[in-house]
Amino acid sequence: MNNKIIIINGPNLNLLGEREQSEYGSTTFEELKKICLNKSKDLGLIADFSQSNIEGEIVNMIQNSRKNFDGIIINAAAFTHTSIAIRDALSIFKKPIIELHISNIYKREEFRHKSLISDVVTGGIFGLGADGYILAIISMQKLLQNENQ
Ligand code: DQA
């Protein structure tokens, strides 16, 4: 059976392509969604690509993923640096999680250097632009394949 993954995007990522292109590039959110769904399909994954600006909605998405998905790729955006609630929800998800950031958060303002989720995820990708999503999908497919062996 095909593994199911969810790609969760946090606040302001719906404005990709419009917001700070020097940090996040020119790929729009809709383009990125298409790229991710196509790549997932190519790798035999069933993928959901979601976004919310609301912290509690992201907590709900993570909680619901326990039953509905085999892995989570998450760009929690600004909530990465502030949300204990998202961290706690991720801790309860006992399957692979990849943390993702389009920009290199360690090269930017000091408040972005601290991620509250890095130590509860399987691994992370940052600073590689929108391509990071493709790399995360490839890595997730490998993690799930190894689990199924
Ligand atoms: C981000 C980095 C965060 O610091 C920022 O708040 C974002 C996007 C990234 O993808 O580089 O909104 O997660």
Side-chain angles (χ1 to χ4, degrees), residues 3 7 25 28-29 42 52 56 72 91 100 107 117 121 129 141:
N3 281 309
I7 303 164
T28 67
F29 182 77
D42 285 351
S52 178
I72 295 177
S91 299
L100 168 67
K107 261 191 181 172
I117 68 172
V121 302
Q141 193 265 340

Side-chain angles (χ1 to χ4, degrees), residues 7-53:
I7 303 164
I8 299 175
N9 292 283
N12 301 307
L13 291 172
N14 53 314
L15 297 184
L16 283 178
E18 176 183 334
R19 69 182 293 214
E20 302 141 289
Q21 289 200 6
S22 57
E23 295 294 350
Y24 304 117
S26 57
T27 305
T28 67
F29 182 77
E30 282 308 315
E31 286 166 350
L32 185 61
K33 178 174 178 173
K34 214 181 269 176
I35 290 167
C36 287
L37 295 183
N38 284 340
K39 185 68 193 177
S40 300
K41 203 170 160 200
D42 285 351
L43 294 177
L45 298 168
I46 297 169
D48 189 290
F49 194 87
S50 305
Q51 190 274 335
S52 178
N53 293 324

Side-chain angles (χ1 to χ4, degrees), residues 83-124:
S83 178
I84 297 171
I86 289 175
R87 175 203 167 85
D88 286 349
L90 290 171
S91 299
I92 301 165
F93 185 80
K94 299 292 179 207
K95 294 179 252 187
I97 303 171
I98 297 176
E99 175 182 359
L100 168 67
H101 300 286
I102 297 169
S103 64
N104 182 345
I105 55 175
Y106 302 102
K107 261 191 181 172
R108 300 182 63 194
E109 304 95 324
E110 208 172 325
F111 62 83
R112 295 185 205 276
H113 297 182
K114 176 80 190 157
S115 164
L116 295 184
I117 68 172
S118 288
D119 62 326
V120 297
V121 302
T122 312

